[in-house]
Amino acid sequence: MPRARYKQVVDRLAADIRGGQLIPGTRLPTHRQLARSHGIALATATRVYSELESMGLVSGETGRGTFVRETALPPGLGIDQPASNPDMLDLNFNYPALPGQANLLRKALRELAVAGDMEALLRYQPHAGRQHEQQAVAAHLRDRGIDVQAENVLLVSGAQHGLAITAMALLHPGDVIAVDALTYSGFKVLAETYRLELAPIAAGADGPDLNALRQLCKTRRVRAVYCMPTLHNPLGWVLDLPTREQLATIAREHGLLIIEDAAYAFLADNPPPPLATLAPERTVYISGFSKSVATGLRVGFVAAPSAWVPALERCIRATTWNTPSVMTAIACRWLEDGTVAQLEAQKRDDACQRQAIARRVLAGLPLVAHPASYFVWLPLGEDVRADQVAMALLQQGVSVSTAEPFCTAAQVPHALRLALGSLTLDVLPQALQTVRDVIERHTY
Ligand SMILES: Cc1ncc(COP(=O)(O)O)c(C=O)c1O
């Protein structure tokens, strides 16, 4: 039987197990029944089960049969589970931090304690943030080429919160949202929880296939498009100006809301104008300080057309009331005194350095990445199974992500996403070398 067909049987069973159609404890057909039902040789059926077993999805019990295992992935592998083992080398999540940043925080907290209005910080704040903070973020956005007024800016508890309030305020469960076939995993989780239907757009050479988006808009009632034009996570693309203009045109022709996620945009040197500039009347622009400053701050921001601001504010009220003002005070002070700009520049250099390490250690492998990004996408060969590689890496103390959390299409590619931003520079090469070794060991 051709290898591709054999892999399909493994993939289909794996998808049914992960998707919950085959629940833990289910007894699977005998090897002989599986062979018969799929028209495959008995030896091939045995191999299908042994692959599923090595992926950690089933267990064979002598004399009893093959059973679906509990699929809760070990800590560190699931997108929602941080690597809980402190010895785990984390190539799964990105929390880039530079060596001097803890001292910056110490200094900022001391200054806030001395000069801040402590009484005010103890109180509720306006939902969208205090006015001078909205002004500070608006000035920051103007530096990025977005002509926005302070009253169109809302401070939120991280970009993920910005995405969530956008969904709550402007979308309805059941709405069809066009997304990249590989997209930011947090948006996929949000769509699942809020019951949005994600319609995947295949990738072209350096961005989404816009003809596929046009076609989709003709056949379905698409409400919005979620995109990352500047430094796409996980593929690293930066859309050129003509592509952005076309995207804006399609959105206008079909009345689409554009959700522009710019979480990593600061890493791209001199990108074309954001969609929020090209189609300001229909774009909600969302970003934050997680990657440029620190993930623990939980400060992000949303810029939106005036008509949508009240609904967005109401959703902040419904979720957090306001973003904690101790944190917004620190973030905005760092905006105003140039610390954010300085950290952004240092992190651009840091990301370039990490990419160079990845390109050296993983040379010869088909990496997909922007030269200044904090992650790489690593498609695996025809014969290599991503789950097996991820599981084997975990056993070696390295956590990575497979394509699954990022994939919105039916067919999940066998690939890894490696986050380069979290490990210290002295251990990063070794962790990447382990990835390389394990992949090579799993290549037949
Ligand atoms: C593309 C993208 N958008 C949004 C977020 C969420 O960021 P935050 O930590 O600000 O909620 C992330 C985090 O990794 C991201 O990669």
Side-chain angles (χ1 to χ4, degrees):
M1 133 185 252
R3 190 175 295 280
R5 166 100 179 86
Y6 152 74
K7 279 175 87 174
Q8 277 170 15
V9 180
V10 176
D11 282 342
R12 197 166 328 131
L13 283 167
D16 284 351
I17 293 169
R18 291 204 196 88
Q21 287 91 331
L22 288 170
I23 60 170
T26 304
R27 189 202 297 264
L28 294 172
T30 62
H31 294 209
R32 205 170 291 283
Q33 286 167 337
L34 185 78
R36 211 175 312 122
S37 64
H38 286 82
I40 54 179
L42 183 59
T44 312
T46 302
R47 188 160 167 217
V48 166
Y49 278 156
S50 80
E51 280 227 20
L52 288 168
E53 190 156 2
S54 65
M55 289 157 69
L57 296 176
V58 306
S59 62
E61 296 178 24
T62 317
R64 292 191 62 227
T66 306
F67 295 85
V68 175
R69 284 184 52 179
E70 277 296 338
T71 53
L73 291 167
L77 191 54
I79 192 71
D80 296 325
Q81 298 158 323
S84 55
N85 176 351
D87 298 329
M88 188 68 73
L89 295 176
D90 193 348
L91 293 175
N92 186 1
F93 296 99
N94 254 333
Y95 34 94
L98 299 171
Q101 276 196 243
N103 278 339
L104 278 182
L105 180 59
R106 258 182 218 109
K107 182 165 165 277
L109 287 169
R110 247 184 262 118
E111 284 170 6
L112 192 65
V114 174
D117 177 355
M118 292 294 131
E119 294 297 328
L121 296 181
L122 286 171
R123 290 195 292 271
Y124 284 133
Q125 307 296 336
H127 306 306
R130 296 182 286 178
Q131 211 175 25
H132 68 277
E133 295 177 337
Q134 291 173 294
Q135 275 160 1
V137 174
H140 174 63
L141 287 174
R142 283 196 289 273
D143 286 345
R144 282 196 191 171
I146 305 174
D147 185 18
V148 66
Q149 301 305 310
E151 60 266 28
N152 294 82
V153 169
L154 304 100
L155 280 93
V156 290
S157 297
Q160 182 68 37
H161 184 221
L163 293 171
I165 61 158
T166 302
M168 288 174 75
L170 305 176
L171 305 174
H172 293 103
D175 278 352
V176 177
I177 317 298
V179 290
D180 299 306
L182 289 168
T183 194
Y184 165 51
S185 49
F187 192 75
K188 191 177 153 185
V189 173
L190 174 63
E192 281 162 7
T193 350
Y194 198 57
R195 294 178 173 70
L196 302 171
E197 184 188 336
L198 296 185
I201 307 295
D206 288 309
D209 175 352
L210 293 185
N211 286 330
L213 176 60
R214 258 194 210 97
Q215 204 49 37
L216 175 74
C217 292
K218 282 184 193 149
T219 51
R220 301 290 313 272
R221 246 185 90 204
V222 180
R223 169 74 187 101
V225 57
Y226 166 72
C227 55
M228 291 164 274
T230 308
L231 232 152
H232 179 274
N233 179 6
L235 297 175
W237 68 50
V238 176
L239 300 186
D240 59 18
L241 182 56
T243 308
R244 289 171 195 240
E245 285 170 341
Q246 272 185 57
L247 190 48
T249 304
I250 297 171
R252 268 198 198 104
E253 280 169 6
H254 296 276
L256 306 185
L257 159 72
I258 299 173
I259 305 170
E260 179 172 20
D261 185 333
Y264 281 102
F266 73 97
L267 289 171
D269 204 13
N270 214 4
L275 291 165
T277 298
L278 300 174
E281 80 289 355
R282 61 188 56 253
T283 303
V284 178
Y285 181 94
I286 299 166
S287 186
F289 300 111
S290 278
K291 309 300 174 176
S292 57
V293 182
T295 52
L297 278 187
R298 307 310 302 134
V299 180
F301 46 84
V302 173
S306 301
W308 297 336
V309 169
L312 289 163
E313 268 185 301
R314 199 165 167 73
C315 292
I316 298 176
R317 183 198 192 285
T319 50
T320 56
W321 187 282
N322 66 266
T323 301
S325 51
V326 172
M327 303 320 259
T328 58
I330 293 173
C332 291
R333 185 176 180 103
W334 281 341
L335 272 179
E336 286 161 342
D337 72 7
T339 303
V340 171
Q342 191 188 325
L343 286 172
E344 285 183 346
Q346 287 171 349
K347 287 195 181 183
R348 268 192 292 273
D349 289 347
D350 181 54
C352 287
Q353 203 179 339
R354 286 162 189 268
Q355 278 294 332
I357 293 172
R359 278 157 207 240
R360 175 168 53 75
V361 178
L362 303 174
L365 298 177
L367 299 187
V368 179
H370 184 279
S373 90
Y374 270 124
F375 39 81
V376 297
W377 184 255
L378 181 49
L380 299 174
E382 255 291 290
D383 293 337
V384 188
R385 307 202 58 82
D387 312 62
Q388 283 180 345
V389 171
M391 196 69 87
L393 278 167
L394 215 51
Q395 278 153 12
Q396 305 244 341
V398 177
S399 74
V400 298
S401 177
T402 64
E404 206 278 329
F406 297 89
C407 183
T408 58
Q411 190 75 26
V412 182
H414 286 281
L416 301 180
R417 198 208 69 153
L418 306 176
L420 306 178
S422 304
L423 294 179
T424 52
L425 282 170
D426 56 330
V427 292
L428 181 63
Q430 185 47 47
L432 292 170
Q433 185 61 46
T434 307
V435 172
R436 180 178 196 121
D437 294 345
V438 168
I439 291 174
E440 282 171 356
R441 224 174 306 131
H442 280 76
T443 304
Y444 300 106

